[in-house]
Amino acid sequence: MAGKGIVMNNELNVLSLKNIHKAFGGIVAIQDFSLDLKAGEIVALVGDNGAGKSTLIKIISGVYTPTSGEIKLDGQEASFSDASAARSNGIEVVYQDLALADQQPVFMNMFLGRELTKPPFGLLDKARMRRESQELVDDLDVRIPSASSTISDLSGGQRQGIAIARATHWASKLVLLDEPTAALGVAETGKVEDLIASLKEKNLAILIISHSLDQVFKLSDRICVLRRGEQIGIRETAKTDKNEIVSMITGVA
Amino acid sequence: MTAVKQRLSGFDFQNMVVYIGFIAIFIFFAVTLYDDGFLTQRNLTNIFLQTAPATIMAIGLVFALSAGEIDLSFGSIVAVSALTAAVVLRDYPLIMGVAAGLGVGILIGALNGVLVAYLKLPSFLVTLATMGLFAGIARSMTDLRSVPVMNEAFTGFFGSGKLFSVPSLLIWTVVAAAIGHIFYRHTRFGAHVLATGDNPRAAQVTGIKVPRVRLYVMMICGGTAGLAGLLYAGRLQAAKYTLGESDLMTVIAAVIVGGTALNGGKGSVIGALLGSLLMGMLNNGLILMNLKVSDQMIVRGLIILLAVAVSLRDSSR
Ligand SMILES: Nc1ncnc2c1ncn2[C@@H]1O[C@H](COP(=O)(O)OP(=O)(O)O)[C@@H](O)[C@H]1O
Ligand SMILES: [Mg+2]
């Protein structure tokens, strides 16, 4: 049963972007972008500052609507009116500047916007949220003092761990990561990278933006290069090298 | 060792200020004003009854501050609501007066809320303006005249009445605090209020309807101010444009001392209740000390300054 499911998922693209175009007034941020993503696959999105990487992620996650082009989710045409519409379709984003509420406990952040309640009065089921959060972070080996800890008492790596744990908990299809380790130190980056690598086993499709080519080569199956909104090309990570990617990013041969 | 440190940092200093301050001031007055009757049951009950409107407003303000907004207009709403109820009660039964008074409060709150949530104007400026606007409207409503409230059901319910020998104002205070606390701490709405004040962008990307939360907290402030207006009108058996006029500082101080952050994301309804009682105790004590009104104001101002400074000391770390 499980095996069959995986085979089917592998045949079908979780996400399919075709000829995506996005302009802000006169500025063309993305032109003619196409990409297919399969379950259990990590694709890295690289390019210089202002290349349009964040814009692309915002288009997929419903923050921006593309000026033209087609987005398909599991083969179905999809257009999300806002971020929560994308979220309810199984797409989660981990932002570079963490979308966590700092003064709230871990478990409330884990269930932010999707708090669990219990009958008969529909009051918050804090015990269950606490327990499930603990299981989630334990499962992903994110080490925090407790699920009741306040976010602001945690380190950058722990926070990003929480953000990723939250994303994987709620994502049924696709996790988008926008420079998830940009604000982290070396040791913390290593931990978060391990965490991202472990998401493959959960059969999620993953699109990660990163400025670190070491990271990109360590994690990804394919690499997609953007330059000033233009899609330069897609390479299989195993069949390319840093030199080629760098010259694609800079346009200097 | 780290566990202990964790415990200590989890031990909320800001929330403790109000308890320590409460007990300290209580003991101080109990000793120095013993002969003046501070400790008599009558005086203590009085403190509770006199602070009832301020406590109710403080509970509303906890929601607004926690969502990262502020309401400066609630004093003016008190007057408009009380006058509206008093005028309606001249010709209509209890229920109509109550509905009109509360309704006007909620409506003004909704006006504030729409300007804040959907026109994205800062609540500080919006409510500074509506504070003046509705202070003026309260004055013009009855040409500065006081309106007596004869409806005995009303004055009983919102003023001097008792249920099983418990004063109605005490019941209002306790019920409002209990409902406020449950909504704040144990509902999805309360969680969304805190998240909105803490990090609006995080709240928004997780699907929380941030503008709606902002609208609702301003409406809650309007509603609690409306209820406070009814309580004033009930206790004094009259409504006047001056009602609520001098509550702004007391209520904000009560909320801050009670552990609610000025910039959102953190707060306590129970703390606001205690903060409000603390302010009431202070008022009462200063009056019993026979201080001139001007001296009372000076001392109260200084003590509030001290209390707020101590409460906020920890949050600037
Ligand atoms: N909301 C916006 N309004 C106008 N221009 C924008 C907006 N968002 C991004 N841009 C522009 O689109 C281009 C791509 O930006 P971005 O996607 O943030 O790049 P990257 O994430 O690759 O650094 C930039 O030129 C940027 O100025
Ligand atoms: Mg970016």
Side-chain angles (χ1 to χ4, degrees):
Chain A
M1 250 275 295
K4 198 179 163 199
I6 287 169
V7 170
M8 280 185 59
N9 277 341
N10 279 343
E11 285 166 354
L12 198 65
N13 292 318
V14 172
L15 177 75
S16 171
L17 302 172
K18 228 187 218 145
N19 311 118
I20 298 289
H21 207 89
K22 177 71 187 176
F24 295 102
I27 305 167
V28 177
I30 297 286
Q31 50 178 315
D32 204 22
F33 187 94
S34 301
L35 175 70
D36 292 328
L37 248 137
K38 293 177 171 48
E41 181 182 41
I42 301 183
V43 172
L45 195 57
V46 297
D48 252 335
N49 279 334
K53 306 178 298 293
S54 295
T55 303
L56 196 65
I57 284 211
K58 286 176 182 160
I59 290 172
I60 301 169
S61 61
V63 177
Y64 296 149
T65 342
T67 314
S68 66
E70 189 183 76
I71 305 174
K72 279 186 175 170
L73 202 61
D74 278 347
Q76 300 282 321
E77 186 131 0
S79 80
F80 306 121
S81 52
D82 57 25
S84 57
R87 231 188 154 209
S88 59
N89 278 284
I91 300 176
E92 289 286 327
V93 189
V94 176
Y95 296 92
Q96 139 185 38
D97 49 343
L98 323 130
L100 298 174
D102 273 0
Q103 300 175 82
Q104 314 308 316
V106 168
F107 72 90
M108 286 306 287
N109 271 280
M110 210 62 109
F111 288 88
L112 208 58
R114 287 163 164 161
E115 299 81 4
L116 302 177
T117 57
K118 59 189 172 196
F121 301 115
L123 298 182
L124 293 177
D125 193 344
K126 293 190 181 181
R128 196 168 140 220
M129 287 194 274
R130 214 174 270 132
R131 196 175 61 239
E132 290 190 9
S133 300
Q134 191 67 55
E135 285 166 15
L136 270 165
V137 293
D138 288 348
D139 182 40
L140 290 174
D141 205 23
V142 180
R143 307 248 166 85
I144 52 168
S146 103
S148 303
S149 306
T150 304
I151 296 291
S152 58
D153 290 338
L154 303 179
S155 72
Q158 288 172 320
R159 292 183 206 199
Q160 199 56 286
I162 303 293
I164 293 172
R166 177 172 76 184
T168 52
H169 178 58
W170 295 108
S172 53
K173 301 195 175 96
L174 178 62
V175 177
L176 310 167
L177 303 119
D178 192 347
E179 301 191 38
T181 59
L184 304 183
V186 179
E188 297 192 313
T189 297
K191 280 204 140 189
V192 169
E193 284 171 352
D194 293 345
L195 183 51
I196 295 167
S198 73
L199 301 185
K200 272 179 85 128
E201 293 152 27
K202 300 193 182 286
N203 216 31
L204 292 163
I206 293 156
L207 186 61
I208 176 173
I209 296 178
S210 176
H211 274 301
S212 151
L213 285 188
D214 284 336
Q215 182 170 77
V216 166
F217 274 83
K218 189 150 71 179
L219 291 174
S220 70
D221 299 301
R222 288 188 294 151
I223 303 171
C224 173
V225 182
L226 270 180
R227 193 197 312 146
R228 293 200 201 132
E230 196 184 330
Q231 186 172 21
I232 303 301
I234 303 174
R235 297 286 180 273
E236 281 184 44
T237 309
K239 293 184 186 161
T240 184
D241 55 35
K242 280 185 194 167
N243 287 334
E244 185 186 17
I245 298 298
V246 169
S247 64
M248 286 169 80
I249 291 173
T250 56
V252 182
Chain B
M1 188 58 207
T2 29
V4 172
K5 222 178 145 196
Q6 202 69 41
R7 274 259 155 267
L8 280 178
S9 67
F11 180 82
D12 206 323
F13 180 72
Q14 269 171 285
N15 282 342
M16 291 311 291
V17 168
V18 72
Y19 295 98
I20 298 167
F22 189 87
I23 293 168
I25 291 186
F26 183 85
I27 292 176
F28 178 75
F29 284 149
V31 172
T32 57
L33 294 173
Y34 183 81
D35 294 333
D36 301 289
F38 178 80
L39 271 185
T40 58
Q41 197 201 338
R42 208 184 111 142
N43 189 53
L44 294 179
T45 313
N46 249 338
I47 293 176
F48 236 103
L49 303 189
Q50 272 162 4
T51 46
T55 302
I56 307 264
M57 288 183 260
I59 292 167
L61 193 61
V62 169
F63 283 85
L65 286 182
S66 298
E69 306 299 337
I70 192 161
D71 187 357
L72 301 174
S73 68
F74 57 79
S76 302
I77 299 178
V78 166
V80 172
S81 288
L83 283 166
T84 305
V87 168
V88 171
L89 284 169
R90 285 199 293 221
D91 303 314
Y92 298 95
L94 173 74
I95 184 77
M96 303 291 281
V98 174
L102 273 184
V104 160
I106 294 170
L107 220 59
I108 299 175
L111 171 69
N112 286 334
V114 167
L115 294 173
V116 168
Y118 298 103
L119 296 187
K120 308 215 184 308
L121 302 173
S123 53
F124 181 85
L125 295 177
V126 165
T127 59
L128 189 64
T130 52
M131 169 174 73
L133 173 65
F134 287 99
I137 289 179
R139 280 162 173 72
S140 69
M141 274 172 83
T142 58
D143 277 332
L144 304 183
R145 272 192 299 269
S146 160
V147 182
V149 177
M150 309 296 206
N151 187 317
E152 276 176 22
F154 183 88
T155 54
F157 209 55
F158 293 101
S160 54
K162 286 189 168 145
L163 185 70
F164 305 120
S165 76
V166 183
S168 67
L169 287 171
L170 181 57
I171 297 175
W172 280 113
T173 304
V174 171
V175 169
I179 293 177
H181 175 76
I182 289 171
F183 262 85
Y184 190 72
R185 280 266 176 269
H186 297 284
T187 66
R188 297 190 71 199
F189 175 71
H192 294 179
V193 166
L194 284 163
T196 297
D198 197 337
N199 184 346
R201 207 182 65 91
Q204 189 244 323
V205 297
T206 51
I208 292 170
K209 305 265 183 286
V210 168
R212 197 184 300 170
V213 169
R214 290 183 175 143
L215 170 65
Y216 287 171
V217 295
M218 298 313 285
M219 289 174 73
I220 290 173
C221 269
T224 51
L227 178 56
L230 299 185
L231 296 179
Y232 272 129
R235 197 180 76 209
L236 304 172
Q237 305 190 354
K240 204 174 182 220
Y241 69 90
T242 51
L243 293 182
E245 213 173 41
S246 55
D247 287 334
L248 186 62
M249 180 176 79
T250 317
V251 171
I252 292 180
V255 173
I256 300 300
V257 170
T260 296
L262 256 179
N263 46 9
K266 184 174 178 314
S268 164
V269 167
I270 302 301
L273 166 67
L274 286 175
S276 178
L277 287 173
L278 193 152
M279 295 299 148
M281 214 156 61
L282 202 58
N283 260 345
N284 180 270
L286 294 178
I287 290 169
L288 289 183
M289 280 179 162
N290 275 325
L291 291 186
K292 281 189 299 186
V293 174
S294 53
D295 292 342
Q296 280 179 37
M297 289 172 73
I298 292 169
V299 173
R300 198 171 58 212
L302 288 174
I303 293 181
I304 290 177
L305 200 58
L306 179 73
V308 170
V310 174
S311 306
L312 294 181
R313 197 199 63 159
D314 180 68
S315 61
S316 57
R317 85 203 123 122

